[in-house]
Amino acid sequence: MEQWLTTLKTETPQAGFELAIKLSRMGVKYTQPDMEKLKKGRADYDENAPFLIQASSVIAQNFNTVAQANDFWKK
Amino acid sequence: MEQWLTTLKTETPQAGFELAIKLSRMGVKYTQPDMEKLKKGRADYDENAPFLIQASSVIAQNFNTVAQANDFWKK
Amino acid sequence: MEQWLTTLKTETPQAGFELAIKLSRMGVKYTQPDMEKLKKGRADYDENAPFLIQASSVIAQNFNTVAQANDFWKK
Amino acid sequence: MEQWLTTLKTETPQAGFELAIKLSRMGVKYTQPDMEKLKKGRADYDENAPFLIQASSVIAQNFNTVAQANDFWKK
Amino acid sequence: MEQWLTTLKTETPQAGFELAIKLSRMGVKYTQPDMEKLKKGRADYDENAPFLIQASSVIAQNFNTVAQANDFWKK
Amino acid sequence: MEQWLTTLKTETPQAGFELAIKLSRMGVKYTQPDMEKLKKGRADYDENAPFLIQASSVIAQNFNTVAQANDFWKK
C-alpha cells in the first residue's frame, strides 16, 4: 500500500482524534480494500446505534495510542 | 470540523468523565454526521440495556485516556 | 449534573472495585438519564449471561483506571 | 458487601490469573446478586462459544490489571 | 487446578504470542471445564468469522500483557 | 508453527500498523488453521460493516502493543 502514515505526532488533541479516526478507517480498509463493497455494506448501518457506538469504540482505542504518542499533549 | 477539543486537562475527575462522554459522542458524530439519522437510529435503543452498557464501555475507554492525561488527578 | 466524583483514590482495592462499578453505572446513566426507561430495559436482561459478562467487562475497564490511580494499592 | 478483596498481590502468575477470574465473577455478581437468576441464565450459554470467549476477554482485562499490580512477577 | 503458568517471560515475541493464546484458552477452560461441552459448542463456530475475530481480540489483549512483561523484547 | 515473528520493532508507524494487521490475522489463523474453512466463513461477512469494524478493533489493540514496543516512533 502507498504511504499514508509517517508519524503519530499531531499539533493538537483534536488533530490526534482525527488521526485516530483515520487509523480506524484504515483498519477497515486493509480488511476490505474493495471500496464498492465497503460502501454497500456500510449503508445498511447508517442509522444503527450499536454499530455507531462500536465505531466510536475503535476510535477510542486508537485515540489512546495517539494520545500516548503525544504525551497527552501535556507540554 | 470546527474546533471542539483543545486540551485533555480538566480541573476534576468528574469534568474528566464528562470529557470522556464528549469524546465518545464525537466518535459517533464523526462516523455519522447527519444528526437526523443519529437521532432516528438512537431512539430504537433508548431502553436497550446491552446498547447502554456498550456506550458505557466506550466512555470507560476514553476516561482511561483522559485520566492518564491528568495523572489521575493525583496532585 | 450534581457532584458525584471528587477523587479516584480509595482506601482499599475493594473500595476501588466498587468505585469502578459506580463509574460503569454513571456511564449508563449519562447516556440514558431517564431512570424509568433504564429499569424497564434492564429487566429484560436480568438473567442474560452475555449481558452480565458485558457489564463485568466495563467494570474491568474502569477498575484498571482506578487501580492505576491508586498505584495498585502497592504501598 | 462483605470483604472479599484485600490486595492485588499474588505469589505467582497463575494465582494472579485466578484472581482475575474472581474479579470477573464479582463484576457479574455485583450486577446481578441473585444467585438463582445467575445460574438459570448461565445454563443457556454452557456450550456457547462466543459467550465463553467473551468471558475469557473479561478475564484478560482483569489479568492485565493484576499483572501490572505485581510488576508482571518480574522479580 | 494443577500448575500451568509459572512465568510470563518468553524467549521470543512469537513464544509470547503463543503464551497469549494459551492464556486465552485457559480463560475459556476455567469458565467451562467440561471439555466435551467445549468441543461441542465450538464446532458450530468453526467457520464463523465474527467468532474467530473475537478470539483474535482476546489473544491481542493477552499479548499486550505478555509483551509488557517482557519489556516488548527490546533487549 | 514455523517462525513468523522475530521482533516487534519496525522502521515506521505504517510498518507497525501492518505488523498489527499480521498479528490480528495470526490470532485468527491459530484459532482456525484450516484455510479452506477460514475463506469460506469469511466470504459471508465481506460487506458486513459490524464485522469489519470488529476487525479494525483487533488491529487497534495490536497496534497499541506494537506502538509501545517502538516507543511510539518518537525518536
Side-chain angles (χ1 to χ4, degrees):
Chain A
M1 195 173 276
E2 63 182 42
Q3 194 182 62
W4 61 273
L5 179 66
T6 55
T7 179
L8 295 179
K9 296 287 278 183
T10 67
E11 284 293 313
T12 64
Q14 184 167 331
F17 195 81
E18 286 163 0
L19 176 56
I21 292 168
K22 184 179 182 62
L23 292 167
S24 305
R25 287 182 180 158
M26 292 307 288
V28 170
K29 201 175 166 183
Y30 272 95
T31 309
Q32 176 49 279
D34 184 331
M35 284 303 283
E36 283 311 302
K37 290 189 180 179
L38 270 189
K39 279 179 190 164
K40 207 173 140 193
R42 170 65 191 281
D44 297 335
Y45 291 90
D46 226 31
E47 298 179 4
N48 186 284
F51 170 76
L52 295 170
I53 281 284
Q54 188 63 20
S56 184
S57 171
V58 182
I59 294 166
Q61 286 173 297
N62 281 314
F63 184 55
N64 185 273
T65 303
V66 174
Q68 281 183 268
N70 288 279
D71 292 325
F72 303 94
W73 298 275
K74 277 180 192 170
K75 287 151 212 166
Chain B
M1 194 173 276
E2 63 182 43
Q3 195 182 61
W4 61 274
L5 180 65
T6 55
T7 179
L8 294 179
K9 296 288 276 185
T10 66
E11 284 292 314
T12 64
Q14 183 167 331
F17 196 82
E18 286 163 0
L19 176 55
I21 292 168
K22 183 180 183 62
L23 292 167
S24 305
R25 286 182 180 158
M26 291 308 288
V28 169
K29 200 174 166 183
Y30 272 94
T31 310
Q32 176 48 279
D34 183 331
M35 286 302 284
E36 283 312 303
K37 289 189 180 181
L38 271 189
K39 279 179 190 164
K40 208 173 140 194
R42 170 65 191 283
D44 297 335
Y45 290 90
D46 226 31
E47 298 179 3
N48 186 284
F51 169 77
L52 295 170
I53 281 285
Q54 188 63 21
S56 185
S57 172
V58 183
I59 293 166
Q61 286 174 296
N62 281 314
F63 184 55
N64 186 272
T65 303
V66 174
Q68 281 183 268
N70 287 279
D71 291 326
F72 303 93
W73 298 275
K74 277 180 192 168
K75 287 150 214 167
Chain C
M1 194 174 276
E2 63 182 42
Q3 195 181 60
W4 60 274
L5 180 65
T6 55
T7 178
L8 295 178
K9 296 289 276 184
T10 67
E11 284 292 314
T12 64
Q14 183 167 330
F17 196 81
E18 286 163 0
L19 176 55
I21 292 168
K22 184 180 183 62
L23 292 167
S24 305
R25 288 183 178 155
M26 291 307 288
V28 170
K29 201 174 166 183
Y30 272 95
T31 310
Q32 177 48 279
D34 183 331
M35 286 302 283
E36 283 311 302
K37 290 189 180 181
L38 271 189
K39 280 179 190 165
K40 208 173 140 193
R42 170 66 191 281
D44 297 335
Y45 290 90
D46 226 30
E47 298 179 4
N48 186 284
F51 169 76
L52 295 170
I53 281 287
Q54 188 64 21
S56 184
S57 172
V58 182
I59 294 165
Q61 287 175 296
N62 281 315
F63 185 54
N64 185 273
T65 303
V66 173
Q68 281 183 268
N70 287 279
D71 291 325
F72 303 93
W73 298 275
K74 278 179 191 170
K75 286 151 214 165
Chain D
M1 195 173 275
E2 64 182 41
Q3 196 181 60
W4 60 274
L5 180 65
T6 56
T7 177
L8 295 179
K9 296 288 277 182
T10 67
E11 283 293 313
T12 65
Q14 183 168 330
F17 196 81
E18 287 163 359
L19 176 55
I21 292 168
K22 184 180 182 63
L23 292 167
S24 306
R25 287 183 179 157
M26 291 308 288
V28 170
K29 201 174 165 183
Y30 272 96
T31 310
Q32 176 49 279
D34 182 332
M35 286 302 283
E36 283 312 302
K37 290 190 180 180
L38 271 188
K39 280 179 190 165
K40 207 173 141 194
R42 170 66 190 281
D44 297 336
Y45 290 90
D46 225 29
E47 298 178 4
N48 186 284
F51 169 77
L52 295 170
I53 281 287
Q54 188 64 21
S56 185
S57 172
V58 182
I59 293 166
Q61 287 174 296
N62 281 315
F63 184 54
N64 186 273
T65 303
V66 174
Q68 282 183 267
N70 287 279
D71 291 325
F72 304 93
W73 299 275
K74 278 180 191 169
K75 286 151 214 163
Chain E
M1 195 173 275
E2 63 181 40
Q3 195 181 61
W4 61 275
L5 179 67
T6 56
T7 178
L8 296 179
K9 296 288 277 182
T10 67
E11 283 293 313
T12 64
Q14 183 168 332
F17 196 81
E18 287 163 0
L19 176 55
I21 291 167
K22 184 179 182 63
L23 292 167
S24 306
R25 287 183 179 156
M26 292 307 288
V28 170
K29 201 174 166 183
Y30 272 96
T31 310
Q32 176 49 279
D34 183 331
M35 285 303 282
E36 283 312 302
K37 290 190 180 181
L38 270 188
K39 279 179 191 165
K40 207 174 141 193
R42 170 64 190 282
D44 296 335
Y45 291 90
D46 225 30
E47 298 178 3
N48 186 283
F51 170 76
L52 295 170
I53 281 285
Q54 188 64 21
S56 184
S57 171
V58 182
I59 293 165
Q61 287 175 295
N62 281 315
F63 184 54
N64 185 273
T65 303
V66 173
Q68 281 182 268
N70 287 280
D71 291 325
F72 304 94
W73 299 274
K74 278 179 190 170
K75 286 151 214 163
Chain F
M1 195 173 275
E2 64 182 39
Q3 195 181 62
W4 61 273
L5 179 67
T6 55
T7 178
L8 296 178
K9 295 288 278 183
T10 68
E11 283 293 313
T12 64
Q14 184 167 330
F17 196 81
E18 287 162 1
L19 176 55
I21 292 168
K22 184 180 181 63
L23 292 167
S24 305
R25 286 181 180 159
M26 292 307 287
V28 170
K29 201 174 165 184
Y30 272 95
T31 310
Q32 176 50 278
D34 183 332
M35 285 304 283
E36 283 312 301
K37 290 190 180 179
L38 270 189
K39 280 179 190 164
K40 207 174 141 194
R42 170 65 191 282
D44 296 335
Y45 291 89
D46 226 29
E47 299 178 4
N48 186 284
F51 169 76
L52 295 170
I53 281 285
Q54 188 64 20
S56 184
S57 171
V58 182
I59 294 166
Q61 286 174 297
N62 280 315
F63 184 54
N64 185 273
T65 303
V66 174
Q68 281 182 268
N70 287 278
D71 292 325
F72 303 93
W73 299 275
K74 277 180 192 170
K75 285 152 214 164

